[in-house]
Amino acid sequence: MAKLKLTSAFCRDVTCPPHKRKEVYRCTEVIGFGLEVRASGKTYWLYYTKPDGKAAQVKIGGSSDIPFDVAKRTAKELRSKVVLGGNPAEDKAIRKGTITFKELAQMHIEHAKGHIRSHGCVEMSYRKYLVPEFGRLRIDEVMPHAIETHFAKLRARLAPASVDRLRLVMNRGYRLAKGWGLPGSDRNPVEAVARPKYDNKRTCLLSPEQVKRLLGECGKSENTMLKPIVQFALATAARKREILDARFEHVNFDRAEWLIPHTKNGHPRTVPLSEAAMAVVKALPRKEGCEWMFTNPSTGKHYITIKRAWKTATEAAGLPGMHTHDLRHAAIGAMVSNNVSLHVAGKIAGHLRPESTARYAAVADSTLAAAVEAGARNLNLMGKAA
């Protein structure tokens, strides 16, 4: 090993002595900066002492790939980390073992398949919106500002709640990575991304006339199951997926009850069926060997979606922009407006938290107001003749 001031010209012209396998030249200007010369090529290194007192070295790069000035500047930066107690070689090893965001996405998707029913949403979030933007980066290279910028672009074409769902999926991925002890997962960049403020709570109320128009258009649909699906939704306040996955075996005809074994919150629930709901069930066509209540005639299986038929019917009924989930809101609102308590309505709907049903408090308040007005009129409190 020789010590001298390394220069660009020296590093360009020096060759490996013919009687040696290699020669190392250490710079006297930048402590630890060195050039290793072999017959096969030249490599810049930083030689240093680790915090535990042991010697270490970290490769900066080949002289044919990195200009001398860049190598020298990099050596200074690495040296400053050493002075502050860092270990560049260990850091490099960690970076080398750090997976890409695309690899983390695949691990998260596989985990979701075994733990949540809505794993399709996780897969779609990564495939359409997250991996195309961050997939090639290591997980420790994804920065909060880059996430903020990407989400800002997506808000131009997605609803705020949809963008926030992407934030939640991404955050969950990093939390899993940390729980698994993956290299590079000690920092979660999503935690520094501000959650947008938005209100996507809907309390859609339908008048009897609107229901009549909607059912009339549903009855005209090419999808012959659309009308009974909508009727059943309005009669039970169930979620769309719960209805489309409904099976005859879960209906107790004697007690007029419907068991929903798989719900969004993971808790099975039993829904009492009104006369209207039972009428819908009894009128459904039943084919031997078919377990589904609302069977798609073209496939013989349950429906995956009714989006196209629903859009056509709602627009024809003068209710454009109405969501299928609004049927659930309308059913809950109808119960509350007919003096059903928020607690009971929430239990029928399968709400685990009172806050989920609290949005219908305004409906309950208007019902109470109408009740006291009716009582006052009955008592002739205004002094008018009966």
Side-chain angles (χ1 to χ4, degrees), residues 237-305:
R239 298 179 177 89
K240 178 183 69 174
R241 191 71 264 158
E242 294 169 346
I243 294 173
L244 297 185
D245 291 345
R247 307 184 187 201
F248 283 109
E249 65 180 287
H250 295 141
V251 177
N252 187 321
F253 286 85
D254 295 330
R255 300 183 58 177
E257 291 179 344
W258 171 37
L259 170 66
I260 307 178
H262 304 293
T263 65
K264 178 182 177 181
N265 52 42
H267 295 265
R269 76 176 188 276
T270 299
V271 178
L273 298 178
S274 63
E275 290 185 15
M278 287 300 298
V280 172
V281 176
K282 291 176 180 178
L284 291 173
R286 300 188 67 169
K287 186 176 181 180
E288 186 176 353
C290 182
E291 56 188 333
W292 311 105
M293 284 171 52
F294 302 99
T295 307
N296 186 335
S298 61
T299 65
K301 299 180 180 180
H302 64 142
Y303 284 92
I304 302 301
T305 180

Side-chain angles (χ1 to χ4, degrees), residues 192-255:
V193 177
R195 181 175 184 178
K197 294 182 179 180
Y198 62 91
D199 184 6
N200 67 334
K201 296 177 181 176
R202 299 165 67 94
T203 52
C204 174
L205 297 178
L206 294 176
S207 67
E209 193 275 332
Q210 288 174 318
V211 172
K212 182 178 179 180
R213 289 204 318 265
L214 177 61
L215 292 178
E217 294 301 330
C218 288
K220 301 175 186 177
S221 176
E222 294 181 358
N223 182 343
T224 56
M225 285 290 106
L226 182 61
K227 183 176 180 179
I229 288 173
V230 172
Q231 288 176 314
F232 198 67
L234 288 171
T236 61
R239 298 179 177 89
K240 178 183 69 174
R241 191 71 264 158
E242 294 169 346
I243 294 173
L244 297 185
D245 291 345
R247 307 184 187 201
F248 283 109
E249 65 180 287
H250 295 141
V251 177
N252 187 321
F253 286 85
D254 295 330
R255 300 183 58 177

Side-chain angles (χ1 to χ4, degrees), residues 351-373:
H351 289 160
L352 291 183
R353 299 178 301 170
E355 308 92 83
S356 300
T357 320
R359 72 182 72 174
Y360 301 94
V363 179
D365 291 344
S366 64
T367 301
L368 293 175
V372 295
E373 286 292 343

